[in-house]
Amino acid sequence: MSSLWDRYQKYLLRNDTLGFSLDISRMRFGDDFLARMEPLAQKAFVSMKALEAGAIANPDENRMVGHYWLRAPQLAPTAELKAEIENCNSSIRDFVAKVYASGRFTDVLVVGIGGSALGPQFVSDALGTDDDRLRLHFFDNTDPNGIDRTLTSLQHRIEHTLVVVISKSGGTPETRNGMLEAEAAFAKAGVNFARNAVAVTGVGSALDKIAEKAGWLARFPMWDWVGGRTSIMSAVGLVPLWLQGLDMQSLLDGAGAMDAWTRGTETLKNPAMLLALMWHFAGNGRGEKDMVVLPYKDRLALYSKYLQQLVMESLGKAHDLDGKEVHQGIAVYGNKGSTDQHAYVQQLRDGVANFFATFIEVRKDRAGESIEVEPGFNSGDFLQGFLRGTRAALYEGGRDSLTISIPEVTPFQVGALIALYDRAVGFYASLVNINAYHQPGVEAGKKAAAGVLKTLAGVRGSLSATPQSASQIATALGEDAEAVFHALNHLAANDSRVRKQTGEAIGADTFQLA
């Protein structure tokens, strides 16, 4: 058995040009694992090459998958697509320059959900400074209290707030609700919403038509060949983050550099393929172990949340490409180091061994010099100690881990990190034969939510001055009694006209209009 040092030297992949490394030495795969997986890896390389060339890679929706072209438009399969990407980026730059020149705005309110918010939130937090040109805020949910908190922070700057509404279809309920809430806040403040509004949406969508008719400041496209969870380098991310003042060209360059590296077909020299293979090894190709993401840098605190959507929405599928029921997926959660020392490392070390860890190391502690917090040691030394110590403690306890290392948190490195996982997810999907680029489960949830709202409307219309129980209303409507009960409780909590009388048992509770 070789020493850990020998294994580290064998299974550390390093790119000195990018300043990036991936260490898979603390994954306990046998020497034959990579050889056994090589045919599948090569098949995945072929599939990815076809995807980047414009093949239909999302067969369920009959769509191409083109987020890689966003950072290298010259690789788009047609001259028309190349021109669309380049023209969009140029238009965004021109618009941002005009916004700055106008001097009208201090803040940007981003209205979106899922990939339309998680990507911009992660990058904004990772790269933002006190010197940003504009401050970013988000409506990323349809929670009224959350909306109110954000509006309160903007209440004295509404007229100086630019609103960017992001929705491919224009019909996403949460985003539509956020837009209407923002419009109402502007109207209350006596500010013309259209003069402060920007749409990022599909051409000809419901939102596009609203923006055009009302004369919004600008409209930028979303394409059906870019999924929400991989849209950060489209107008979805470029509009708000360029407005913030971030160096998005450097982020695109970093992603492009990682893409160039991960196009290589030599498995041991491709970090995205090695990640996918390690995920496969850890979970036996069935997602049997969770992915715990531990970035040891405050600026990367939202990365695990970003990866949660990217990995789980891409890989959590009921059927494979042949229609076979497989129920694939990898659960993802995480926390920043060394906060995790005081949160759940206890379970990771001594509890159920149902995970593998991914450590993310940022080698540079800070821009300036550090003081000593103990003789000979500074705060960054302690952070390094906690990272390496936790990695060692987990391995000693039979827990596997990967370690990614970058020199510092810059736009270039963040772009590279995003691109690395984009391709790793695509490779893993090929290894287990699933479609990583659709989300039927999300659509099912939306349909179920529509059913709940239909029930709520029926219940609201059935209330009268006469006390009624959930069962009575359910019988009259032909609805499920529990669904009616939840609707009644929601109305009682939020509609001042609805009164609830608590009975001795839940079924005896009655509701009426005051």
Side-chain angles (χ1 to χ4, degrees), residues 462-469 472-473 488 499 510-514:
S462 298
L463 285 168
S464 68
T466 302
Q468 300 176 82
S469 69
Q472 289 173 319
I473 296 176
L488 286 165
R499 295 286 185 267
T510 60
F511 302 81
Q512 66 188 103
L513 291 177

Side-chain angles (χ1 to χ4, degrees), residues 245-501:
L246 303 184
D247 183 359
M248 294 305 290
Q249 185 56 57
S250 183
L251 185 133
L252 290 168
D253 292 344
M258 181 59 73
D259 286 342
W261 185 17
T262 54
R263 285 190 187 99
T265 58
E266 189 173 343
T267 298
L268 276 172
K269 294 184 179 180
N270 188 315
M273 180 57 77
L274 289 178
L275 276 181
L277 288 169
M278 292 303 99
W279 300 350
H280 194 285
F281 166 75
N284 292 317
R286 297 282 303 150
E288 293 172 0
K289 291 192 175 182
D290 300 342
M291 181 191 305
V292 181
V293 181
L294 301 170
Y296 275 67
K297 183 61 68 173
D298 287 3
R299 284 189 174 274
L300 299 180
L302 294 183
Y303 192 46
S304 57
K305 189 176 179 181
Y306 173 80
L307 291 181
Q308 194 170 57
Q309 185 201 18
L310 175 67
V311 174
M312 295 178 72
E313 195 169 81
S314 298
L315 303 182
K317 302 297 162 65
H319 299 91
D320 67 12
L321 289 170
D322 299 321
K324 180 182 177 183
E325 191 171 289
V326 292
H327 294 290
Q328 277 287 353
I330 301 175
V332 179
Y333 61 95
N335 199 0
K336 67 181 182 182
S338 65
T339 302
D340 60 85
Q341 307 290 131
H342 307 280
Y344 47 71
V345 163
Q346 171 60 38
Q347 175 164 319
L348 298 186
R349 177 61 173 79
D350 293 343
V352 181
N354 62 347
F355 71 94
F356 63 97
T358 299
F359 294 97
I360 302 177
E361 174 190 40
V362 179
R363 295 191 293 276
K364 189 175 182 62
D365 293 336
R366 60 163 36 120
E369 296 296 319
S370 292
I371 64 166
E372 287 191 354
V373 294
E374 282 188 12
F377 299 103
N378 60 41
S379 297
D381 297 332
F382 274 85
L383 190 66
Q384 174 70 187
F386 287 131
L387 188 161
R388 293 295 167 186
T390 302
R391 172 176 173 268
L394 291 183
Y395 191 76
E396 290 166 3
R399 276 70 169 161
D400 287 357
S401 70
L402 307 156
T403 302
I404 292 169
S405 181
I406 63 174
E408 55 188 318
V409 180
T410 64
F412 187 92
Q413 294 295 337
V414 169
L417 275 176
I418 290 171
L420 172 68
Y421 275 82
D422 279 350
R423 199 172 296 260
V425 163
F427 282 152
Y428 184 87
S430 293
L431 295 178
V432 299
N433 193 40
I434 60 171
N435 180 358
Y437 307 109
H438 71 336
Q439 49 280 332
V442 175
E443 300 307 316
K446 290 179 181 178
K447 290 179 181 178
V452 172
L453 291 174
K454 181 181 177 182
T455 298
L456 184 63
V459 169
R460 182 181 279 119
S462 298
L463 285 168
S464 68
T466 302
Q468 300 176 82
S469 69
S471 295
Q472 289 173 319
I473 296 176
T475 299
L477 293 175
E479 294 273 10
D480 175 71
E482 184 182 340
V484 169
F485 179 75
H486 291 310
L488 286 165
N489 275 289
H490 173 75
L491 291 171
N494 294 283
D495 189 332
S496 60
R497 299 170 301 164
V498 179
R499 295 286 185 267
K500 175 182 178 179
Q501 181 64 46

